[in-house]
Amino acid sequence: EIVLTQSPGTLSLSPGERATFSCRTSQSVRSNYLAWYQQKPGQAPRLLIYGASSRATGIPDRFSGSGSGTDFTLTISRLEPEDIAVYYCQQYGTSPKTFGQGTKVEIK
Amino acid sequence: EVQLLESGGALVQPGGSLRLSCVGSGFTFSSNALSWVRQAPGKGLEWVSYIVGSGSYTDYADSVKGRFTISRDNSKNTLYLQLNSLRAEDTALYYCAKYQYNTFYSYMHVWGKGTTVTVSS
């Protein structure tokens, strides 16, 4: 099983600041089959990024993904108050399709 | 609009069984792979199971293998998850999710709102 480790556990930032989330995997992710999801309180997850760097339909361009192999990053270029959520990475190239433990974003 | 609506969650005793359902609308149901993903109270997401559009291929997390069975009835646009030999650690909100493509190497782009399973005596 591929283990995904996300850091930091919690990110506390002010509106307008840049947010950077890390996702490291225990093995190389096949063909960079890595996705990022946003989960707001009381809501279902929402797909943000797939294929490590492709934005899903309707996702603002302040969200971007990068990385390859075992090291991936999600960046929010300018944090908005509505970005308060938990962010999860998931690899979908190998069974089981494992998730990271999540990074929580708080607004200062 | 693509929608997924889960149902069937309940309070059940340890060792008991339950069947969850997920009805899809707004898309060609039989052409899409689907999964169940769960989230224990206050915890992260856990991928549970996967089924291809035809139902001919399924996959499971080790934590549920041999106890849970995923299936689908494409004539009813419905996905199922049969939960047997339930344990306290199966307590969670269970989401149904649709893949963008009908292949294992795809991502979940539409999610339902979930149905709650509580395992307790």
Side-chain angles (χ1 to χ4, degrees), chain A residues 33-35 37 47 50-51 56 90-99, chain B residues 2-4 22 24-38 46-54 57-61 70 72 79 95-112:
Chain A
Y33 288 142
L34 186 115
Y37 297 90
L47 176 70
Y50 62 91
Q90 185 210 19
Q91 66 80 22
Y92 53 94
T94 302
S95 179
K97 297 174 185 274
T98 40
F99 285 92
Chain B
V2 175
Q3 287 190 325
L4 298 167
C22 170
S25 60
F27 62 100
T28 305
F29 191 83
S30 61
S31 297
N32 287 270
L34 298 164
S35 263
W36 290 98
V37 176
R38 69 184 180 182
E46 181 186 14
W47 174 84
V48 171
S49 187
Y50 166 94
I51 187 167
V52 74
S54 65
Y57 175 79
T58 60
D59 195 15
Y60 298 92
I70 192 170
R72 60 194 298 161
L79 172 72
Y95 292 104
C96 166
K98 171 186 173 300
Y99 287 85
Q100 176 77 64
Y101 303 108
N102 191 30
T103 170
F104 181 84
Y105 303 115
S106 185
Y107 44 88
M108 295 173 283
H109 76 128
V110 177
W111 295 63

Side-chain angles (χ1 to χ4, degrees), chain A residues 3-7 22-26 89 99-101:
Chain A
V3 175
L4 282 67
T5 303
Q6 293 186 239
S7 61
S22 172
C23 176
R24 289 200 165 92
T25 63
S26 60
C89 56
F99 285 92
Q101 81 279 20

